């Protein structure tokens, strides 16, 4: 089993930071939404100063502010107050480019005929990388990133088998160095190339996801209406769950009607961390008044 590559020599250990965030989520879920900085730090076996530094490096806001984003009611508030309607259905096609949390994506979709060949003739290079959400498995064709999954909840082997099974006839070559610059750009909010490989309905749903701005959310039913298939919410849900390029195609921004988080292919804790991370990056600032 190969070890995750670092995205740059100077970058903090994001996977280590995420594991702390994940443990903090567990504490907050267990009823610790009002725990002080000192209490949270003690429960995690850290000094308050060290704990504060980890949060500043990972989220950009204080632990107290971040607790607000992690509370169970935040998803409902997110949907009610910052709900994107995706009512520009004329923009939902297969020929445009989407913008995701200040990250410009250039993408190309595989034709239905190419998709039907299940990756036959494709060479896909892959590697494990450190990321803000734990170890990330990235896969890439000559046209761009075609797969991105997270292994902190599902484990490396299951994540790898899951992602590779999308294109069973492709040739897979472990070559993290070939992906290094593209993966680094993906997590640094820089221009990123994507190669969307899916059935026609999946491609329409995934493009709709690209139109959901960072810090906002939508529902399966709203996406179904946006792609002019208002009765296809169940099929839309399936396509969202089959999204192979997590984070970059933001399926984590889709919630159930009423604001419930719903499931997430790579683990619900990862979804909650992503939503909180984006909320902090969208609304937070270095002069956070809630800093303890």
């Amino acid at each position: 089993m190969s070890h995750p590559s670092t995205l740059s020599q100077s970058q903090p250990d994001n996977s280590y930071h995420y594991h702390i965030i994940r443990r903090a989520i567990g504490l907050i879920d267990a009823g610790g939404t009002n725990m002080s900085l000192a209490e949270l730090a003690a429960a995690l076996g850290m000094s308050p100063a060290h704990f504060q530094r980890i949060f500043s490096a990972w989220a950009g806001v204080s632990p107290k502010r971040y607790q607000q984003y992690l509370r169970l009611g935040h998803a409902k508030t997110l949907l009610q107050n910052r709900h994107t309607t995706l009512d520009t259905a004329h923009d939902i096609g297969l020929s445009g480019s989407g913008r995701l949390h200040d990250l410009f994506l250039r993408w190309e979709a595989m034709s239905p005929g190419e998709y039907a060949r299940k990756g036959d003739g494709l060479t896909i290079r892959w590697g494990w990388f450190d990321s803000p959400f734990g170890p990330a498995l990235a896969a890439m064709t000559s046209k761009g990133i075609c797969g991105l999954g997270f292994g902190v909840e599902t484990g490396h082997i299951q994540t790898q088998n899951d992602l590779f099974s999308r294109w069973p006839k492709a040739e897979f070559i472990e070559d993290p160095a070939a992906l290094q610059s593209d993966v680094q750009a993906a997590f640094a909010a820089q221009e990123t190339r994507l190669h969307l490989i899916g059935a026609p309905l999946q491609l329409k749903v995934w493009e709709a996801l690209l139109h959901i701005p960072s810090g906002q959310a939508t529902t399966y039913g709203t996406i179904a209406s946006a792609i002019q298939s208002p009765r296809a919410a169940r099929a839309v849900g399936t396509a969202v769950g089959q999204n192979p390029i997590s984070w970059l195609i933001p399926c984590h921004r889709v919630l159930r009607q009423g604001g419930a988080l719903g499931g997430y292919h790579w683990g619900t804790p990862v979804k909650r961390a992503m939503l909180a991370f984006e909320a902090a990056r969208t609304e937070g600032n270095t002069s956070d008044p809630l800093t303890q």
Side-chain angles (χ1 to χ4, degrees), residues 252-263:
H252 60 278
R253 295 180 189 158
V254 183
L255 308 178
R256 291 177 179 170
Q257 194 72 35
L261 278 182

Side-chain angles (χ1 to χ4, degrees), residues 18-38:
Y18 175 73
H19 280 288
I20 293 173
I21 299 298
R22 180 171 174 262
R23 290 168 61 197
I25 290 174
L27 290 171
I28 292 168
D29 281 349
T33 55
N34 295 316
M35 293 176 72
S36 68
L37 172 66

Side-chain angles (χ1 to χ4, degrees), residues 72-150:
L72 292 176
H74 174 66
K76 186 173 182 179
T77 302
L78 183 71
L79 192 61
Q80 291 175 340
N81 296 344
R82 292 190 296 277
H83 178 206
T84 178
T85 62
L86 286 178
D87 56 4
T88 54
H90 63 277
D91 288 335
I92 307 300
L94 298 179
S95 60
S97 61
R99 183 175 181 179
L100 168 63
H101 57 72
D102 298 327
L103 171 66
F104 287 90
L105 301 173
R106 292 186 294 115
W107 60 271
E108 181 174 338
M110 176 172 281
S111 71
E114 291 173 319
Y115 170 71
R117 294 198 292 270
K118 300 181 179 181
D120 187 27
L122 272 183
T123 297
I124 298 178
R125 300 181 185 277
W126 64 276
W128 281 97
F129 297 86
D130 181 38
S131 87
F133 310 105
L137 174 62
M140 184 174 180
T141 71
S142 61
K143 296 179 180 179
I145 294 174
C146 64
L148 187 63
F150 298 91

